[in-house]
Amino acid sequence: MRIKTKALRFTAVLALALVSAVPMWAARGKADFTRYVALGDSYGAGVSSNAMVDAHQRNGYVATIARQAGAKDFQQPTVSQPGIGPELQLLSIRPLQIAPKAATNGVPTNLSLPRPYNNLSIPGARVGDLLTLTGAQPPTNTQTSFAQFILRGLGTSADQALAQQPTFISVWIGGNDLLGAVLAGTPAALTPLEQFDASYNALLDRLVAGAPNAGIVLGSLADAKSVPFATTIPPVIVNPATSQPVLGPDGKPIFMIADLGGGTIGQLPPGSLVTLGASSFLATGFGIPPALAPAFPTLPNAGKPLPDGVVLTPAELVIIDKAKVDMNAVIIATGARLNIPVVDINTFFEHAKAGLDFGGITINAAFLTGGMFSYDGFHPSDIGYTILANEFIRTINAHYNTRIPFASITRYFQNNGKRTAKVTAQEDVGADTPFDYTRDALDGLLQVTGTQNNLPVTNRVRD
Amino acid sequence: MRSSRFRILTIALVTLAIAPVGFAAGFSIFEQGAKATGMGGAFAATANDPSAMFYNVAGIAYQRETTAMLGGTLISFRNEFTGGDYEFPGPGTTEGFEDHLFTPPNAYMVIPVGENATFGIGQFTPFGLRTHWEDQDDFTGRFVAQDTNLKVFSLQPSFAWKTSDDRFAVGVGVEYRVSKVALERNIPAINPFTLQVADIGHVALTSDEINDDFGWNVGLMFRPSETWSVGVTYRAPITIDYEGEADFQQISTGNPQFDGLVAAGFPPDQKIKTSVDFPAIASFGIATTAIPTWTFEFDAVLMTWSEFETLVVDFENAATPDLVNEENWDDSWSYRFGANKQVNDMWQVRLGVVWDETPQPVENVGPLLPDSNRLGLSFGVGLKHGNWRIDLSELYLPFVDRDTLGQNQDNYNGVYETTANLLSMNIGYTF
């Protein structure tokens, strides 16, 4: 088609410019990482394997974005080994043993920084905490404890972010408001939607008003079923000798018994999730129906139900799913209202669950073998954080017309280089033993995520 | 039926033929004679030396003296892969091929019979591929491919006949094609003790030395006038079925527990089968000697690479998953222009230009084979002295930079830059 008049041609050029410029105009501010500030929760803090520890903080998604974008003098509230958690390690696969690296925590190592940290993410924080916690409150729970050395009494997260005159802000918050329900095993732990909506909008309004020219990026929230903490243990009785489900007289697997909520004891309906938190209970026989208990004479608690806090019934999952949809709608609406791009974390985790391909390597959400998650089954590994950072970078580049380079997971190739002689000796690895994600591991995770979960003290080793 | 003596001879010849990298689009190789290569491979309508058996078999009908010709091509190349703006292997990554010098040989003999017929036997290397990555145990694409090696060797008895007035010639060849293929790569897993990517094994897939099949080809030449010539050829597609061995070698991760688990599920060495669909090649050439002492030729060559749809390696052990590579190549054209100047009775000089379209779709461009469009410039000389003839040519073949655009099927993305130099020489003797 030929364009005849000059005016028409000008209009066409203008229209084309508008269309091609949409990504630049859609996002507020610009992506200048001179002073990059991050607000978030334990994911933002770089928690991995239950611990906030420098070795993983430096590889968290926030630190990775900062590194890739060339952020200047990017400071984090670092913690020495073995981290505040402390960090879990894998001791043995068969039997599976995951335990803290040490009995005592590491200590903060960047307390003397004479200005707020660039990374102000607080493990355990919910949206509302970013407008109220200052680090001056007494350490009565996870958020307030971590805030003591992250916020140091210098003001709220939002205050300290704005005090730095940020040129770019990432805000990925809400994970505890939503997935706290998975860790607690009950939708009662969800932040009420009205409260989430009000806090989220108030937080973003505050940031936009205080840093009107800063570029901002938000993150949405992932599904309950995207973390191995919720998906690893099947809700049916498994024969420890064969790793196969025990079949009932009808030839079908037998579902575990649990407190289904409000003290109602019964078999878990199909579609229920049994969290990693159940592991130490299962190891002593909890969840085995009374009729089957005689078959497990060595398990002292066979015939007793799993506590409510380690299972999610389909009815509970419906409520949590609805909360996810509603909270993500709030995040997306807030982003749209303020012209802030939103990283589609929900879709990303769906893809990660299905498996992401990297040059012949598949990274997925399987516990221990998938590569995406750390030993707590809830927080990402270094590889997982790298891929997450790339999702943020992808969104920033698309909306701010930048070319921030992606981070490469080749950093986490163990790369033992040269071929060795063929391994011929095969160890006797034995049959699968019952899955044991220790009670210590669970307590650590609940601690680091600030989850209230009134589980019975049975199996507890540490206290 | 092949006699055992024939088989032994074939093995000896195949062992001599060193596998080259693909030097025309895909993994075909059109450099099968120094004269033709000096003319940019535009030779289907000229075809006036024994390499006609490759370029247009009808051409030997016009060759009325018993002639033997031997030669080869010295191929060197530079290759660089950079990670570009993509997530994996990531910006800042650079990789390159291992240095190899390839010398695909060729040999031809034509024997005229009576006034208008000629027999010939030719040996050439119409296909071949070597993609061998430098530092293959650290190469970021090592879980896709470390070293890919396709050797091809062809032996072609030929016969051509022309009309007494030289206006028309037809030739046929029966190509016996022998091939060997090998593929190496490492096997990754997440080491649960480090939560990092570990190399847990290395697999080498190697076919037997001899995997073979027959194909046919036909060529026509038509000379409507003293100074014009037209050549048309068709070389039929050949599918070669391969049998071979998979050698699995476990690599220690440094953790005995994990190594024990890996060992328990590690695939055993076993027999494998695969097959490769080689395309048909159809050439259309027109040449003129209207300007005295000059020959100009233009060829268009079609390769039916759409035959190459999948590469499947079938493992004998049912527990070992088969390896399936989607190829889905497209047919491709090559356009070639060549000129030959007869300087005097002894000397000829030649020039050529070739544009080779890649048949490889962008999703498939990866560590196994990173192909690209290429523009070749050639220069050559020919010297005739008594019964002897020597031809030399140089073909400079830069590939157009190939960016995978984030679409590689293994999510191994970046930009491949390749440049090749091909130095060819042939010596001929007329009896």
Side-chain angles (χ1 to χ4, degrees):
Chain A
M1 185 188 74
R2 281 200 63 205
I3 296 167
K4 282 174 189 160
T5 73
K6 225 174 188 175
L8 247 178
R9 195 180 303 157
F10 177 76
T11 315
V13 168
L14 187 69
L16 196 66
L18 281 171
V19 167
S20 56
V22 157
M24 283 170 68
W25 293 8
R28 68 177 305 111
K30 51 179 189 158
D32 168 3
F33 281 78
T34 308
R35 289 181 302 279
Y36 167 43
V37 174
L39 298 180
D41 47 30
S42 55
Y43 268 52
V47 167
S48 204
S49 295
N50 268 3
M52 184 163 174
V53 59
D54 187 31
H56 295 299
Q57 286 176 276
R58 66 180 66 229
N59 300 325
Y61 84 86
V62 168
T64 303
I65 294 171
R67 185 165 54 237
Q68 296 304 116
K72 309 262 185 332
D73 192 25
F74 183 83
Q75 295 283 342
Q76 303 201 96
T78 48
V79 177
S80 66
Q81 287 287 345
I84 295 179
E87 186 181 356
L88 296 175
Q89 62 182 338
L90 177 65
L91 292 175
S92 151
I93 303 182
R94 288 181 177 171
L96 185 82
Q97 282 183 299
I98 294 170
K101 277 184 172 173
T104 53
N105 281 323
V107 294
T109 52
N110 197 15
L111 283 174
S112 59
L113 186 74
R115 63 171 180 85
Y117 298 115
N118 297 84
N119 188 352
L120 294 160
S121 302
I122 302 167
R126 296 191 176 217
V127 178
D129 291 330
L130 302 194
L131 291 165
T132 54
L133 292 184
T134 63
Q137 292 94 344
T140 53
N141 60 17
T142 298
Q143 301 90 296
T144 48
S145 304
F146 276 102
Q148 288 207 310
F149 76 92
I150 297 170
L151 299 180
R152 295 176 293 170
L154 301 174
T156 65
S157 300
D159 290 340
Q160 295 197 38
L162 294 173
Q164 300 182 56
Q165 296 179 299
T167 55
F168 195 85
I169 309 172
S170 65
V171 184
W172 183 22
I173 187 74
N176 292 306
D177 301 84
L178 176 67
L179 298 181
V182 175
L183 298 168
T186 169
L190 291 167
T191 299
L193 184 64
E194 298 73 40
Q195 191 182 327
F196 180 86
D197 193 357
S199 301
Y200 202 89
N201 278 282
L203 173 67
L204 268 298
D205 284 338
R206 179 77 209 286
L207 293 174
V208 164
N213 298 317
I216 306 180
V217 66
L218 305 176
S220 67
L221 306 177
D223 193 86
K225 288 186 284 295
S226 58
V227 291
F229 186 78
T231 56
T232 303
I233 301 178
V236 296
I237 306 296
V238 171
N239 180 343
T242 62
S243 299
Q244 296 300 311
V246 175
L247 300 181
D250 57 354
K252 290 180 179 161
I254 300 163
F255 284 85
M256 295 170 182
I257 56 163
D259 177 345
L260 303 176
T264 311
I265 309 299
Q267 273 191 311
L268 288 171
S272 298
L273 299 180
V274 175
T275 71
L276 287 183
S279 176
S280 57
F281 293 94
L282 295 170
T284 63
F286 285 98
I288 297 172
L292 275 183
F296 297 90
T298 56
L299 301 177
N301 294 313
K304 297 180 189 168
L306 286 169
D308 186 22
V310 298
V311 296
L312 288 165
T313 61
E316 291 174 324
L317 283 167
V318 166
I319 299 171
I320 296 172
D321 284 349
K322 180 169 188 311
K324 179 193 79 174
V325 172
D326 291 344
M327 288 181 183
N328 278 338
V330 167
I331 294 171
I332 290 162
T334 308
R337 178 170 68 82
L338 299 170
N339 293 332
I340 301 171
V342 180
V343 184
D344 187 353
I345 298 290
N346 185 37
T347 303
F348 165 72
F349 272 96
E350 271 173 28
H351 290 164
K353 198 177 170 188
L356 302 166
D357 202 7
F358 296 97
I361 302 152
T362 303
I363 303 293
N364 63 33
F367 191 49
L368 296 179
T369 56
M372 178 81 193
F373 285 91
S374 65
Y375 299 130
D376 61 29
F378 187 79
H379 294 104
S381 64
D382 292 342
I383 288 177
Y385 275 127
T386 304
I387 305 171
L388 260 172
N390 286 341
E391 283 310 299
F392 277 83
I393 289 170
R394 203 185 309 280
T395 299
I396 295 167
N397 284 344
H399 289 85
Y400 284 98
N401 202 20
T402 46
R403 282 183 68 181
I404 301 168
F406 288 117
S408 178
I409 66 161
T410 55
R411 229 174 128 87
Y412 306 110
F413 280 15
Q414 192 179 304
N415 209 2
N416 41 17
K418 305 306 167 209
R419 238 182 279 170
T420 59
K422 189 163 186 168
V423 177
T424 46
Q426 296 196 3
E427 294 199 356
D428 180 12
V429 289
D432 271 304
T433 49
F435 187 85
D436 195 8
Y437 175 93
T438 60
R439 183 58 195 268
D440 273 1
L442 173 63
D443 289 345
L445 178 62
L446 298 177
Q447 182 73 37
V448 82
T449 53
T451 305
Q452 303 294 319
N453 192 332
N454 300 315
L455 294 172
V457 291
T458 173
N459 303 321
R460 193 167 245 175
V461 181
R462 267 202 301 182
D463 53 13
Chain B
M1 285 286 102
R2 302 193 296 273
S3 71
S4 62
R5 178 177 294 178
F6 175 72
R7 201 168 179 92
I8 289 164
L9 173 73
T10 316
I11 293 172
L13 286 171
V14 170
T15 313
L16 275 174
I18 298 167
V21 172
F23 279 99
F27 46 85
S28 68
I29 302 171
F30 72 77
E31 296 83 0
Q32 306 295 344
K35 181 173 186 180
T37 306
M39 294 174 69
F43 207 53
T46 301
N48 60 356
D49 82 5
S51 70
M53 275 177 271
F54 174 74
Y55 292 98
N56 183 352
V57 65
I60 63 171
Y62 297 106
Q63 296 170 31
R64 306 310 310 158
E65 293 173 309
T66 299
T67 304
M69 190 169 95
L70 266 176
T73 300
L74 213 65
I75 303 175
S76 66
F77 58 94
R78 287 186 301 115
N79 167 285
E80 190 180 55
F81 169 83
T82 49
D85 281 340
Y86 307 111
E87 191 169 1
F88 190 85
T93 306
T94 57
E95 305 284 2
F97 287 175
E98 195 77 64
D99 280 334
H100 286 289
L101 202 60
F102 302 98
T103 54
N106 57 69
Y108 304 94
M109 182 145 190
V110 293
I111 303 163
V113 183
E115 291 295 309
N116 294 315
T118 305
F119 280 108
I121 177 103
Q123 175 273 305
F124 44 86
T125 311
F127 295 91
L129 168 71
R130 182 81 189 264
T131 314
H132 185 194
W133 293 92
E134 210 168 41
D135 297 327
Q136 66 171 27
D137 288 310
D138 291 318
F139 169 50
T140 51
R142 64 186 181 271
F143 305 119
V144 179
Q146 294 172 307
D147 189 3
T148 308
N149 194 345
L150 174 72
K151 296 181 182 186
V152 171
F153 174 91
S154 288
L155 210 54
Q156 180 182 303
S158 311
F159 176 78
W161 174 86
K162 68 174 179 62
T163 54
S164 297
D165 61 4
D166 286 354
R167 284 172 74 88
F168 188 77
V170 57
V172 292
V174 176
E175 183 186 340
Y176 171 66
R177 191 176 293 172
V178 187
S179 179
K180 177 185 177 182
V181 65
L183 170 69
E184 287 183 40
R185 66 165 158 193
N186 275 9
I187 305 167
I190 297 293
N191 179 348
F193 288 92
T194 60
L195 295 178
Q196 297 197 343
V197 175
D199 298 61
I200 58 161
H202 176 81
V203 58
L205 309 173
T206 312
S207 77
D208 300 340
E209 289 293 327
I210 304 287
N211 307 272
D212 52 12
D213 213 330
F214 287 90
W216 55 274
N217 61 90
V218 57
L220 300 171
M221 278 178 86
F222 177 54
R223 293 178 169 175
S225 75
E226 286 280 303
T227 55
W228 286 85
S229 172
V230 175
V232 179
T233 72
Y234 178 78
R235 185 175 296 276
I238 297 180
T239 296
I240 294 186
D241 296 323
Y242 301 78
E243 291 186 4
E245 293 274 338
D247 175 35
F248 287 93
Q249 234 180 349
Q250 192 180 342
I251 297 174
S252 171
T253 63
N255 184 300
Q257 268 197 67
F258 183 48
D259 287 349
L261 276 174
V262 171
F266 208 66
D269 292 353
Q270 56 194 282
K271 295 237 179 288
I272 48 168
K273 283 181 185 172
T274 188
S275 67
V276 173
D277 299 314
F278 294 93
I281 306 174
S283 306
F284 309 90
I286 182 162
T288 179
T289 53
I291 300 171
T293 74
W294 284 90
T295 304
F296 296 101
E297 171 155 353
F298 175 77
D299 284 16
V301 179
L302 172 68
M303 296 198 197
T304 61
W305 281 111
S306 55
E307 311 256 349
F308 194 49
E309 288 179 349
T310 53
L311 186 62
V312 178
V313 181
D314 175 18
F315 291 87
E316 187 182 43
N317 191 320
T320 309
D322 292 346
L323 198 154
V324 180
N325 245 24
E326 291 294 328
E327 305 291 341
N328 299 321
W329 286 21
D330 304 313
D331 291 346
S332 72
W333 284 91
S334 169
Y335 304 100
R336 305 170 186 176
F337 176 79
N340 182 69
K341 162 79 176 166
Q342 187 78 46
V343 180
N344 54 38
D345 282 351
M346 280 176 72
W347 289 94
Q348 296 182 355
V349 293
R350 300 164 190 134
L351 285 170
V353 182
V354 53
W355 172 252
D356 239 358
E357 260 180 14
T358 179
Q360 192 180 27
V362 68
E363 308 83 56
N364 190 242
V365 174
L368 199 73
L369 167 57
D371 195 39
S372 182
N373 293 330
R374 42 194 101 173
L375 177 71
L377 297 172
S378 68
F379 170 77
V381 293
L383 171 65
K384 194 176 173 208
H385 186 74
N387 289 341
W388 292 91
R389 222 182 79 188
I390 297 182
D391 294 296
L392 274 171
S393 72
E394 152 68 17
L395 173 63
Y396 172 66
L397 196 62
F399 292 35
V400 175
D401 292 357
R402 190 88 195 257
D403 188 327
T404 61
L405 304 173
Q407 296 173 33
N408 174 256
Q409 60 202 11
D410 296 305
N411 195 24
Y412 188 86
N413 287 297
V415 182
Y416 296 88
E417 297 170 49
T418 309
T419 302
N421 268 293
L422 298 91
L423 191 64
S424 303
M425 185 170 92
N426 277 87
I427 296 176
Y429 184 82
T430 302
F431 295 93

